[in-house]
Amino acid sequence: MITEKSVILQAGNKYIIHMKTYLKRTASAIVMAICSITAFCSCDNAGNDSGKARYIFVFIGDGMGAGHAAVTESYLSYQAGKLGGEELCFTQFPVLGTCTTYSADHHITCSSASGTAIACGEKTLNGYLGVNPDGERLKSIAYDLKEEGYNIGIMSSVPVNHATPASFYGHNTDREDYYNISMEIPESGFDLFGGSGFLQYSGKDGDKTPTPEVLESKGYNVCFGAEEFRQEMDSSEHIVFIQPSGKAENAGNYEVEKPDEEDSRLAEMLQMGIDFLGDDEPFFIMCEGGEIDWAAHDNMTMPMIDAVLRFNEAVETAYHFYLEHPSETLIIVTADHETGGITLGSNGTSTIYWDELVKAYEGGAVPATREEKRNLNDKVCIGWTTDNHTGAPVPLYAIGKGAEKFAGRMDNTDIKGKILN
Ligand SMILES: [Zn+2]
């Protein structure tokens, strides 16, 4: 459960980080200018003949449309005593595109069909994962890049076998066949996995060998928490990070409902992943902020904002890496679909009543029923049109090597080809 204090603390931190970003960005502009000059002099040292970025980050804010970013930035501005103008890290990226997200059988996609579209470059049916509408296996970009010598990391703030991360390694006509999806982790040969835990930890009926045991038997070191991960990463070839709270069947809980002090934030998880993979060899990291979608399904405005801020922190981590390797790094931030149909403003008004919204979540209070949530959102003038996904196109933000290919309109199935070519 999120408290006002934690939200304010977080926003305070974000503001400091934001100021740092601003300073970094100034440095970055200079670095980029130097890079353009060196590139012009044919001194591109990317170390990759294909012209592809050596370090690739794909961030997926599950359910995060333009509205979620706008509401979060309005909240940050409110915290800073302004009407607007505060910015997230990724909304400042120089390249902006927009992606359509429909699936092979619906106007409105689910996370496995859109995850598959992003990862594999093909549309499939809602509920399908890493397979085409005929159930035939598709090849995700992670497999393509693995073959090209990239190290692969797949990370999420929600379970490792949930739809979005699973789209990059799994193949199943049922996205909820979680146990069997987990069994594909060692088959993938990917180097790093991270998430809150495993759904169907011991199988659908709880009678199978616990997932970590299976993974350990196949050469994947499963570490519960940052301390264990840091201790064991140097001696591990393949590693799986699981939150301390993910030791059992409760991995389905999401942070805003059940925070665990011991759990690492997504940014920390990503930093561990970057440290594990290192920069000696090229890498591809997919990093998902999964609880943005869950909070948006619930139309819970403050938890949604908290989830976007956590996701933004993770992007900051990658951005810091980019500043150290500007000519070799590509960062893409997008969403698999929009959730909730959120708008900054509703009911014909021109004001958001942030004081009231923040107060409503004070002391860990959360609106419990659908009606309470609707009344609160109505009162403060945050619009939500549905408790499901919508077909609104999602923004794509990009920076770094090859980022310019992502400008303008595209479909989610175009992303894979743009990264690879
Ligand atoms: Zn969803």
Side-chain angles (χ1 to χ4, degrees), residues 62-63 109-111 162 175 290 293-294 297 336-337 339 388-389:
D62 200 311
T109 188
C110 81
S111 286
H162 208 259
R175 60 174 276 182
D293 178 60
W294 297 0
H297 275 285
D336 48 355
H337 52 75
T339 302
N388 207 339
H389 304 168

Side-chain angles (χ1 to χ4, degrees), residues 25-102:
R25 223 155 269 273
T26 311
S28 161
I30 297 164
V31 170
M32 281 178 84
I34 294 167
C35 288
S36 326
I37 294 163
T38 50
F40 183 72
C41 301
S42 322
C43 303
D44 187 5
N45 61 346
N48 192 325
D49 295 342
S50 68
K52 196 182 301 156
R54 183 171 167 83
Y55 310 111
I56 303 169
F57 293 89
V58 172
F59 285 91
I60 300 180
D62 200 311
M64 189 183 73
H68 302 72
V71 168
T72 304
E73 290 188 339
S74 177
Y75 171 73
L76 291 177
S77 301
Y78 156 76
Q79 289 288 319
K82 304 191 297 188
L83 293 173
E86 287 299 298
E87 295 165 326
L88 294 162
C89 174
F90 56 85
T91 57
Q92 300 172 68
F93 284 0
V95 175
L96 179 62
T98 178
C99 293
T100 43
T101 65
Y102 62 94

Side-chain angles (χ1 to χ4, degrees), residues 330-346:
L330 169 67
I331 306 176
I332 292 168
V333 179
T334 190
D336 48 355
H337 52 75
E338 200 272 356
T339 302
I342 190 172
T343 53
L344 182 65
S346 65

Side-chain angles (χ1 to χ4, degrees), residues 1-247:
M1 190 172 295
I2 191 165
T3 64
E4 187 208 11
K5 205 171 143 202
S6 73
V7 169
I8 289 171
L9 270 176
Q10 164 135 9
N13 288 342
K14 283 317 301 165
Y15 188 64
I16 293 161
I17 291 166
H18 174 70
M19 290 306 290
K20 282 192 207 146
T21 307
Y22 179 77
L23 296 172
K24 277 190 224 158
R25 223 155 269 273
T26 311
S28 161
I30 297 164
V31 170
M32 281 178 84
I34 294 167
C35 288
S36 326
I37 294 163
T38 50
F40 183 72
C41 301
S42 322
C43 303
D44 187 5
N45 61 346
N48 192 325
D49 295 342
S50 68
K52 196 182 301 156
R54 183 171 167 83
Y55 310 111
I56 303 169
F57 293 89
V58 172
F59 285 91
I60 300 180
D62 200 311
M64 189 183 73
H68 302 72
V71 168
T72 304
E73 290 188 339
S74 177
Y75 171 73
L76 291 177
S77 301
Y78 156 76
Q79 289 288 319
K82 304 191 297 188
L83 293 173
E86 287 299 298
E87 295 165 326
L88 294 162
C89 174
F90 56 85
T91 57
Q92 300 172 68
F93 284 0
V95 175
L96 179 62
T98 178
C99 293
T100 43
T101 65
Y102 62 94
S103 71
D105 60 342
H106 286 87
H107 298 110
I108 296 163
T109 188
C110 81
S111 286
S112 68
S114 56
T116 301
I118 295 170
C120 306
E122 286 189 44
K123 300 235 182 249
T124 192
L125 310 182
N126 280 5
Y128 279 30
L129 182 99
V131 294
N132 71 13
D134 297 325
E136 294 158 352
R137 287 168 76 102
L138 296 170
K139 191 175 177 191
S140 91
I141 185 169
Y143 286 97
D144 286 306
L145 290 171
K146 184 74 188 160
E147 281 176 11
E148 291 183 28
Y150 281 68
N151 291 320
I152 306 294
I154 306 294
M155 323 199 76
S156 176
S157 59
V158 301
V160 188
N161 53 0
H162 208 259
T164 306
S167 296
F168 286 80
Y169 66 87
H171 308 83
N172 206 302
T173 51
D174 177 9
R175 60 174 276 182
E176 290 179 7
D177 188 11
Y178 295 114
Y179 188 78
N180 286 321
I181 289 168
S182 299
M183 297 302 113
E184 291 202 64
I185 288 174
E187 279 177 37
S188 72
F190 297 165
D191 305 85
L192 162 80
F193 289 87
S196 61
F198 302 104
L199 294 163
Q200 295 178 2
Y201 196 87
S202 304
K204 227 173 261 178
D205 303 314
D207 56 353
K208 298 269 190 344
T209 310
T211 304
E213 278 181 44
V214 180
L215 301 191
E216 293 266 355
S217 75
K218 297 189 172 180
Y220 278 72
N221 187 7
V222 182
C223 298
F224 291 93
E227 209 183 316
E228 197 181 328
F229 186 95
R230 291 270 179 209
Q231 272 166 14
E232 299 188 14
M233 66 180 209
D234 290 340
S235 57
S236 305
E237 199 183 331
H238 298 97
I239 199 161
V240 182
F241 171 89
I242 296 299
Q243 299 282 16
S245 66
K247 266 184 187 164

